[in-house]
Amino acid sequence: MKPKVFIAYPITRNVEDFIATYCEIHKWEGKGRVPTDTLLEKIAEVEGVYTSGSMTGPINEELLKHAPLLKVVSNVSVGYNNFDLAAMKSHHVIGTNTPNVLNETVADLAFGLLLATARRISELDHFVKEGSWTRTTDYVDLYGKDVHGTKLGIIGMGRIGEAIAKRAKFGFDMDIRYHNRNRNHEAEKAYAAEYCDLDSLLMTSDYVLLMTPLTKATFHLMGEKEFNLMKENAVFINVSRGQTVDEQALIEAVENNKIYGAGLDVFETEPVARDNPLLKFPNVVTVPHIGSATAKTEEAMAMRAAENLVAVLTGKEPIDPVVT
Ligand code: DGY
């Protein structure tokens, strides 16, 4: 008999066929997050769950106590802050994620946000489309901020951080400093990235780019003190998780012109509330958590997550176990 799995994440025919070769599929066909009662009903009878944080919420004690057969939760994302690792360990549930396949795609988006914020691309796109560009337009009003030859501070120098550093170094001749839990000697050598403490990074960077996973240690890593340390004309970019930033402190930093602007892929609450003050600033560029959202990369992530799921349920080691 094939093991039952609950697919809580939108899936292509190709990926579904692969999983169906090994597993009996129960699929969430609705839109958006799986309702709690459906999740509780499904999790009680399956050995595997295929998901992401936004589809099923936290995989915690509350949920796991209803999941006596569960062996694996396979995330279709590199982030796994939806996993309560201690609870999963105590229930002998393996968690997996999809690192590496999305590195270059997320780095593209991070750089896109950086350029858009520096050169005011969203704001000036509106300006043109609403007919404000006239013969009397004063070009001084359209000035932005150079990216090439400036100083980039990357907080979180994992594989995605490295892909961003590569673009910064070889595409834009930027001078790179980084802060990370551990030194990244490869990045230091390949991109002349200089390791420094967080405060020095904030005080010296023209662009501060946050790319760290969300953990207890990085929750609200950027708060009032940190925004105050940033250079007055610096740009802040967040492509990690919304909760790594104290959003109220960011709002105040933008409101009081403490920073030049911000580019955000992620928010403390997602989808972002329509009345979130961040949405009213022209110098804050926003996108809806699309770091990995290209067809090619999403397909690669989906297949990788499927392989992880199937590996565990066929008695093999998953390719990407989340290390506890
Ligand atoms: C992930 O996979 O965790 C990222 O948030 C993608 O954007």
Side-chain angles (χ1 to χ4, degrees):
M1 219 167 58
K2 291 178 180 175
K4 288 184 190 170
V5 294
F6 180 49
I7 307 292
Y9 193 87
I11 196 169
T12 60
R13 164 62 56 176
N14 197 20
V15 177
E16 183 166 346
D17 286 349
F18 171 73
I19 297 175
T21 311
Y22 305 93
C23 308
E24 181 185 316
I25 291 182
H26 297 244
K27 203 162 72 170
W28 165 240
E29 312 256 19
K31 282 223 172 291
R33 195 172 170 135
V34 182
T36 309
D37 50 348
T38 308
L39 183 59
L40 289 175
E41 182 197 317
K42 290 293 169 200
I43 205 140
E45 58 186 36
V46 297
E47 293 182 46
V49 173
Y50 180 95
T51 188
S52 75
S54 59
M55 296 309 287
T56 42
I59 307 296
N60 55 18
E61 181 60 35
E62 195 47 41
L63 192 66
L64 292 170
K65 69 184 183 204
H66 298 281
L69 309 173
L70 193 63
K71 293 189 177 132
V72 56
V73 179
S74 176
N75 255 9
V76 191
S77 66
V78 64
Y80 52 86
N81 48 291
N82 57 319
F83 290 170
D84 178 336
L85 294 173
M88 288 172 75
K89 199 170 179 179
S90 82
H91 285 266
H92 307 287
V93 173
I94 294 171
T96 63
N97 67 340
T98 59
N100 300 324
V101 289
L102 74 179
N103 296 348
E104 300 295 331
T105 299
V106 177
D108 284 349
L109 194 267
F111 234 89
L113 276 176
L114 191 152
L115 288 167
T117 312
R119 298 299 303 271
R120 302 167 57 194
I121 291 174
S122 309
E123 180 193 347
L124 297 179
D125 172 58
H126 288 301
F127 178 84
V128 173
K129 289 177 181 163
E130 74 191 11
S132 299
W133 186 21
T134 65
R135 283 184 192 283
T136 59
T137 296
D138 186 343
Y139 264 76
V140 174
D141 295 336
L142 312 183
Y143 284 177
K145 194 178 148 60
D146 271 332
V147 173
H148 67 273
T150 58
K151 295 181 172 54
L152 171 65
I154 302 176
I155 305 170
M157 188 60 94
R159 295 286 174 214
I160 302 176
E162 286 177 21
I164 294 166
K166 178 172 65 182
R167 285 156 177 74
K169 177 75 188 159
F170 301 120
F172 292 85
D173 195 22
M174 292 173 97
D175 177 13
I176 300 157
R177 70 266 349 268
Y178 75 100
H179 181 70
N180 200 42
R181 252 178 326 171
N182 306 307
R183 292 278 290 266
N184 182 332
H185 296 288
E186 265 173 59
E188 290 179 20
K189 206 161 144 210
Y191 313 117
E194 186 192 331
Y195 178 80
C196 60
D197 61 67
L198 183 60
D199 288 3
S200 314
L201 180 147
L202 295 168
M203 288 188 290
T204 58
S205 300
D206 300 303
Y207 294 89
V208 172
L209 199 152
L210 190 53
M211 195 55 259
T212 183
L214 173 63
T215 63
K216 278 193 185 116
T218 62
F219 177 79
H220 282 193
L221 182 72
M222 289 295 296
E224 189 186 350
K225 169 188 161 243
E226 288 71 25
F227 286 114
N228 279 335
L229 284 177
M230 281 176 65
K231 287 165 86 170
E232 215 167 82
N233 216 23
V235 166
F236 175 69
I237 305 294
N238 190 6
V239 261
S240 63
R241 285 289 183 268
Q243 292 96 329
T244 53
V245 174
D246 174 349
E247 220 163 63
Q248 198 46 46
L250 173 60
I251 292 165
E252 278 160 28
V254 178
E255 207 147 45
N256 301 322
N257 298 317
K258 283 190 199 151
I259 59 174
Y260 181 87
L264 307 173
D265 182 36
V266 288
F267 299 85
E268 278 213 74
T269 303
E270 294 179 5
V272 66
R274 290 186 68 176
D275 61 354
N276 186 319
L278 287 169
L279 307 189
K280 71 172 196 240
F281 301 119
N283 54 341
V284 175
V285 178
T286 58
V287 287
H289 200 150
I290 53 162
S292 59
T294 67
K296 185 171 159 226
T297 293
E298 288 289 334
E299 176 73 15
M301 289 166 70
M303 189 49 99
R304 185 71 168 231
E307 286 164 3
N308 282 319
L309 180 83
V310 165
V312 175
L313 297 179
T314 54
K316 301 191 191 76
E317 288 296 317
I319 322 163
D320 309 298
V322 163
V323 182
T324 55

